[in-house]
Amino acid sequence: MTVPVMLSVGAATHPGQRREVNEDSYLARSPLFLVADGMGGYEAGDRASRAVVDAFDARGAEGAATTLEAVRDALADADEAVASIAAGTSRGAGSTVTGVALVDDEGTPSWLVFNVGDSRVYRHLGTELQQLTVDHSLAQELVDDGSLAPEDMRSYAQRNVITRAIGAPDSTADSWLLPVTNGERLLLCSDGLTSEVSDEAIRATLTMSGRPESAAEALVARANEAGGRDNITVVVVDVVAGGLPQSFAGESTSRSAPVESTLDATTIPVRETRP
């Protein structure tokens, strides 16, 4: 990248009002930002999410950008580590992961957005909020086939049933590539936020909050006030400079390219497609 991307970052995590152990973990250090939500209960959930973060931390040395190959390798390392933890427990273990990686796409600073499970990445620009990731969950499948309205996902009784996870038989990672845009705010969060706080409330909080640290703390507070039935983790990333001007925001979103990736323990073939 010819011009360094300047970022401002804030993060907050809380066990919530009903959980004694926080099974969420996060990484918030350029060029990698991610949230992992562990599963397996007290026995292994926190270890699983931490293993995911450690795998990415080991592959993402501090610098201006990382690479698609490093992200693929980190996903493979994480899958292997969580599967090893699960093998040593009676209940098994797994973890979601969602994240963004700063990469150089033919000289253009870009975000590689990726997820496995139902933790999410949102993009906030101006006053608009866009969900970039698609949940791997039973609720999302019902929305996709028209059996459930999108606005009913938060109240759906089986909203916590996910269809993909790191360490599970299906750990396929979906990913997208889009240019970095000046003034945009990215939100990474576990479902402890989205199961308690509506997208409109999230949008309003991101719009009204100042620094990323304040936005992260305000979102966690809103989730706790709404019941805090799960662990809550939020990472907020602001692009200060070095990206595309906001006048290109609409065009850059329409040009975002899906990156199809298949994850297993040994090979991660990736085919990039562009519209």
Side-chain angles (χ1 to χ4, degrees), residues 114-135:
F114 57 93
N115 83 297
V116 182
D118 62 353
S119 295
R120 295 178 180 176
V121 176
Y122 290 87
R123 181 178 188 253
H124 182 269
L125 185 62
T127 60
E128 300 298 319
L129 183 71
Q130 176 188 12
Q131 182 179 332
L132 298 180
T133 55
V134 179
D135 294 353

Side-chain angles (χ1 to χ4, degrees), residues 1 3 51 59 73 81 107 143 177 185 201 205 239-240 254 262 267 274:
M1 291 181 289
V3 179
R59 294 278 184 178
D73 290 343
V143 169
L177 193 66
R185 168 169 280 186
T205 303
V239 179
V240 178
S254 66
T262 303
T267 61
R274 294 181 180 275

Side-chain angles (χ1 to χ4, degrees), residues 146-179:
S147 301
L148 184 69
E151 59 270 21
D152 294 331
M153 287 182 69
R154 288 196 305 122
S155 60
Y156 179 57
Q158 293 181 289
R159 64 183 181 277
N160 293 326
V161 177
I162 63 173
T163 55
R164 301 185 200 176
I166 298 293
D170 188 353
S171 52
T172 306
D174 289 338
S175 49
W176 302 261
L177 193 66
L178 67 157

Side-chain angles (χ1 to χ4, degrees), residues 4 10 21-22 41 51 68 85 110 116 127-129 133 177 183 188 196 203 206 213 216 224 231 245 256 261:
V21 176
N22 192 342
L68 176 61
I85 292 170
S110 300
V116 182
T127 60
E128 300 298 319
L129 183 71
T133 55
L177 193 66
L188 292 68
E196 300 287 11
R203 184 201 65 81
L206 291 173
E213 298 92 333
N224 273 320
N231 307 148
S256 62
S261 55

Side-chain angles (χ1 to χ4, degrees), residues 61-80:
E62 290 188 58
T66 185
T67 64
L68 176 61
E69 290 73 18
V71 172
R72 289 185 297 174
D73 290 343
L75 285 166
D77 292 346
D79 194 52
E80 183 176 353

